[in-house]
Amino acid sequence: MAWVREVCKRIGMVLMIAGSCDGGRGRRTPSVIVRCERGGLYAGKKVPGDDDQRPGKRSTGSKKCNCPFKLKGTKEHKDDEKAEWKLDVYSGIHNHNLFENLHEHSYAGRLSKEQTSLVHTLKKAMVKPRAILRLLKENDPSNVTGMKTVYNTISKLNFNELSGRSQLQLLFARLKEDEYLSYHRSNELNPITDLLWIHPKCIKLAQSYPYIFVIDCTYKTNRYRLPFLEIVGFTCTNMTFSIAFEYLDHEKTENFEWVLRCLMEAMISCPWPNCIVTDRDLALMKVVANVYPSSHHLLCRWHVNKNILANYKKMFTKDITKWKQFQSAFSALIERNTIEEFNEDWEAMERTFVGYPSAITYVANSWLDPYKEKLASVWTIKCTHFGTYTSSRVEGAHRRMKRDVHNSTGTFVDLYTKVNNQIVEQYNDIKASFEVSKNTYEHTFKTLIYNELRGSISKFALQLLKVEVDNAKLLQPSDMGCSSSEQLTVYHVAMNFMSMLL
């Protein structure tokens, strides 16, 4: 077959196997029938002359034109493994012209075992399909493989035939091999329904920086359509790190509670987070309050604004300026730092938008009355959140992960491989940021007041501290110099501020 296909490729023909016999039934002689790929007749439902360019229909066609070309190969001796094959030409003519080139011919563009192995290796290394195809053609100039063949080969990677539950079992076994801390649960129907895993390096970072946890689900990461939950935190160098990952069977209260209980068990040696930030997922919000009752729970302001935009911008279509005023007024309202200012702004907002009662009612009933303690600065300023008002950190982690995933047709093992690579890169970047903070002194901080801090706290913390020091200096009269006692006062202000960052 290899010889036949090579000869046909040289002269512009593409052959396919029409039938074969291995000689296993009775005493029949092993044989194979080969015909032109344009042999046979189209047997579908399309009627010649019908227009298939209708809305929602793809334009389709067929190569088949009942080409009579046919060969038959027969093994000369059935029981002799070294016996040769005889090739008979049943019909040596075509009813069409030979092909000028063999591009986009699926049989001619099939990959060999070595090429398929190369595609799998490059895909695991996160090489893009187009780059893989370019390398195949560089290695073999006569290769006529197309992008469709490369995509189909990639889609079969990592035990494509397994079901979603079997894939979860396969991933669980892989996590054990890689020494991940993992948890799973099952029911009477499925061996694994939910699966959570944490990298040992992530545990160390979470134990060092347990102050803020940001939790969110993302979708379209796997062909089985299971939601993917990610929990992240951030270091003193302002770099985001992943804490835990989880595949959820459903986004229900019992699923979220199981996740947070497992997380608490994994981090039993470190304190509870000061603050947890989520969107308004009612099931998740309920679980956070039950599992971490002493942690402050904040709602993502970005999701709140998007929700208001989706529901009530249409009411202001006749006056876009009024809508912008409404947005600005709401943003200013939730940033007020005293209850008096908050109440005054809310009353002013009610008077200004008296012509839009449903919008005011929605903001009051859906957000301010039930969730103002989780949303407005006058209440959230009482907890240590380091300016984390949104879930943008975890959204950014989702975006980086999906940038490597490329599509939503991969398996659980596909995603795990990419996430594992990202964790290693992330950890290396964080270690590098620590070294920079320890050994690189910016000229801005080469003054007396920062002598005891340089190299002991991060550059990011020094930048925040500088803002506080500058604000403290502005409180002094401009015509007065900064005496040593005043420097000491500023230093104490700075150290009080730093007690939250260390």
Side-chain angles (χ1 to χ4, degrees):
M1 285 305 303
W3 176 82
V4 169
R5 285 186 170 132
E6 182 61 30
V7 172
C8 292
K9 184 182 290 187
R10 289 202 304 265
I11 62 178
M13 295 167 53
V14 178
L15 299 185
M16 58 181 290
I17 296 176
S20 63
C21 173
D22 61 1
R25 295 182 295 275
R27 299 297 300 172
R28 297 180 62 183
T29 303
S31 63
V32 59
I33 298 175
V34 184
R35 73 180 184 187
C36 176
E37 74 163 352
R38 301 195 68 182
L41 294 172
Y42 171 69
K45 298 181 180 179
K46 297 290 184 180
V47 179
D50 276 6
D51 183 13
D52 59 357
Q53 295 278 357
R54 291 170 292 172
K57 299 293 183 179
R58 291 186 303 157
S59 177
T60 58
S62 174
K63 295 178 182 178
K64 296 183 180 296
C65 63
N66 203 24
C67 177
F69 186 90
K70 184 181 295 186
L71 307 175
K72 182 176 182 179
T74 307
K75 193 174 183 180
E76 292 188 343
H77 299 286
K78 178 179 185 297
D79 299 322
D80 187 1
E81 294 182 357
K82 297 182 179 180
E84 296 183 348
W85 286 71
K86 180 179 66 174
L87 184 63
D88 295 320
V89 181
Y90 276 26
S91 175
I93 61 174
H94 297 271
N95 61 359
H96 58 86
N97 296 327
L98 297 182
F99 305 123
E100 295 181 4
N101 63 75
L102 300 180
H103 291 279
E104 291 301 326
H105 289 270
S106 55
Y107 281 92
R110 281 184 172 181
L111 299 175
S112 64
K113 291 183 179 179
E114 294 77 12
Q115 291 172 329
T116 301
S117 177
L118 177 63
V119 170
H120 287 183
T121 301
L122 294 176
K123 180 57 182 175
K124 290 178 180 178
M126 295 185 290
V127 179
K128 293 184 178 180
R130 191 163 297 278
I132 295 176
L133 179 61
R134 190 181 305 118
L135 181 61
L136 290 174
K137 293 187 178 295
E138 288 176 358
N139 293 340
D140 182 8
S142 64
N143 191 308
V144 293
T145 302
M147 282 300 302
K148 184 177 180 181
T149 303
V150 175
Y151 279 124
N152 290 340
T153 305
I154 291 173
S155 67
K156 295 177 183 178
L157 184 61
N158 282 337
F159 306 99
N160 190 22
E161 71 279 2
L162 295 178
S163 67
R165 300 303 172 187
S166 299
Q167 279 283 337
L168 281 178
Q169 287 182 288
L170 183 66
L171 175 56
F172 181 64
R174 178 76 176 272
L175 291 169
K176 283 189 173 180
E177 292 178 5
D178 293 347
E179 298 182 350
Y180 270 75
L181 178 62
S182 58
Y183 299 86
H184 75 282
R185 67 174 189 160
S186 58
N187 56 28
E188 63 278 3
L189 299 177
N190 297 307
I192 295 181
T193 57
D194 299 83
L195 178 62
L196 177 141
W197 71 93
I198 308 175
H199 195 283
K201 294 178 180 178
C202 296
I203 295 179
K204 292 181 180 179
L205 287 172
Q207 290 173 341
S208 300
Y209 305 99
Y211 311 114
I212 312 293
F213 287 179
V214 188
I215 307 174
D216 189 34
C217 276
T218 188
Y219 312 92
K220 297 182 179 180
T221 63
N222 59 87
R223 69 180 61 184
Y224 309 106
R225 299 183 180 181
L226 288 189
F228 183 70
L229 181 73
E230 187 170 1
I231 304 173
V232 305
F234 61 93
T235 67
C236 62
T237 55
N238 199 34
M239 296 193 68
T240 302
F241 66 91
S242 300
I243 299 174
F245 308 91
E246 210 264 346
Y247 280 116
L248 295 170
D249 188 35
H250 295 92
E251 293 182 84
K252 295 182 178 180
T253 302
E254 59 179 13
N255 301 88
F256 289 126
E257 182 163 3
W258 177 81
V259 171
L260 294 187
R261 295 289 182 190
C262 291
L263 181 66
M264 180 181 290
E265 180 180 339
M267 301 181 60
I268 193 170
S269 60
C270 68
W272 287 4
N274 293 333
C275 179
I276 298 176
V277 182
T278 69
D279 58 9
R280 193 181 67 166
D281 187 316
L282 298 181
L284 180 57
M285 293 174 64
K286 179 180 178 181
V287 170
V288 169
N290 292 336
V291 178
Y292 290 103
S294 64
S295 300
H296 296 277
H297 182 201
L298 304 186
L299 286 180
C300 173
R301 291 182 179 180
W302 184 84
H303 280 93
V304 173
N305 289 327
K306 291 290 288 184
N307 197 296
I308 295 174
L309 173 68
N311 285 282
Y312 283 93
K313 184 180 180 179
K314 55 188 176 183
M315 296 184 57
F316 296 84
T317 52
K318 295 182 180 179
D319 191 351
I320 298 299
T321 303
K322 203 72 172 177
W323 164 250
K324 293 181 179 179
Q325 292 177 356
F326 184 84
Q327 280 188 306
S328 300
F330 180 74
S331 298
L333 174 69
I334 61 177
E335 291 178 0
R336 294 305 180 194
N337 293 326
T338 65
I339 295 180
E340 292 75 14
E341 292 177 344
F342 179 85
N343 292 334
E344 290 175 2
D345 278 21
W346 175 239
E347 292 173 0
M349 194 172 174
E350 288 180 310
R351 291 192 302 269
T352 304
F353 301 99
V354 66
Y356 302 92
S358 58
I360 293 295
T361 302
Y362 169 76
V363 169
N365 295 341
S366 298
W367 298 109
L368 295 185
D369 289 345
Y371 306 124
K372 60 185 178 182
E373 291 84 1
K374 306 177 186 295
L375 189 63
S377 294
V378 61
W379 288 278
T380 61
I381 201 173
K382 298 176 183 178
C383 68
T384 305
H385 52 69
F386 300 112
T388 308
Y389 297 107
T390 68
S391 60
S392 58
R393 288 186 180 275
V394 71
E395 298 287 351
H398 294 336
R399 184 170 59 253
R400 287 190 295 273
M401 180 262 294
K402 290 185 175 181
R403 180 186 59 199
D404 290 339
V405 171
H406 300 306
N407 56 58
S408 59
T409 60
T411 63
F412 297 133
V413 177
D414 286 336
L415 181 63
Y416 162 75
T417 302
K418 296 174 175 60
V419 167
N420 183 60
N421 293 338
Q422 285 189 349
I423 290 175
V424 175
E425 295 173 2
Q426 182 185 89
Y427 188 73
N428 290 335
D429 291 341
I430 290 174
K431 288 197 301 183
S433 70
F434 290 160
E435 289 301 313
V436 169
S437 290
K438 290 178 181 178
N439 303 309
T440 304
Y441 302 155
E442 293 186 3
H443 298 291
T444 305
F445 305 111
K446 290 182 178 179
T447 56
L448 178 62
I449 192 174
Y450 301 108
N451 280 350
E452 300 298 326
L453 300 178
R454 288 194 306 271
S456 299
I457 65 175
S458 69
K459 289 172 61 177
F460 176 70
L462 280 174
Q463 290 166 358
L464 296 179
L465 177 58
K466 184 176 183 301
V467 175
E468 298 297 320
V469 171
D470 292 342
N471 291 337
K473 289 180 179 179
L474 291 176
L475 298 177
Q476 302 174 9
S478 58
D479 57 345
M480 291 178 59
C482 186
S483 64
S484 58
S485 60
E486 290 166 343
Q487 284 186 348
L488 186 60
T489 302
V490 174
Y491 183 77
H492 284 307
V493 171
M495 290 304 296
N496 289 333
F497 174 74
M498 283 308 304
S499 64
M500 298 186 295
L501 297 173
L502 293 175

